[in-house]
Amino acid sequence: MQSFDKRGAGMGAYGPPLGFYRNNPCVHIDPMLCTACVRCMEVCPRKGVIGIEMISGKRYAKVKNPGDCAGCGRCVEACLTNAIGLFFT
């Protein structure tokens, strides 16, 4: 599994690298790092992929529909705490 982090390693200037859509993009959000600022939800071009969930009385961003992820990496770039990772399966 290949991972792309906040630094944008491997991302093209205008989105994912060529051949990207042959892979299945998958977003992962670490609840220990998430501050529920919802910046990821605001920049996601496909609404409904990321949502908010309450865990032990605290709000966290959560991936609701991972299959709908376009793999554009906008959520990764928007996250100030590096809580979001984009993976390819």
Side-chain angles (χ1 to χ4, degrees):
M1 190 162 40
Q2 188 178 12
S3 171
F4 290 83
D5 63 1
K6 189 172 179 82
R7 293 181 299 276
M11 296 299 279
Y14 299 102
L18 294 175
F20 172 80
Y21 291 103
R22 292 185 202 125
N23 299 311
N24 295 321
C26 182
V27 174
H28 173 75
I29 301 174
D30 184 347
M32 299 302 290
L33 297 175
C34 179
T35 61
C37 67
V38 301
R39 290 171 54 107
C40 54
M41 290 176 55
E42 293 171 353
V43 299
C44 182
R46 297 199 176 166
K47 303 305 176 201
V49 175
I50 300 173
I52 294 293
E53 180 178 89
M54 293 290 285
I55 301 174
S56 300
K58 188 175 176 192
R59 292 173 25 147
Y60 296 97
K62 180 182 178 182
V63 180
K64 297 283 187 176
N65 297 312
D68 290 344
C69 177
C72 64
R74 291 179 186 175
C75 58
V76 177
E77 291 294 322
C79 184
L80 300 175
T81 61
N82 294 325
I84 303 176
L86 182 61
F87 302 93
F88 304 99
T89 57

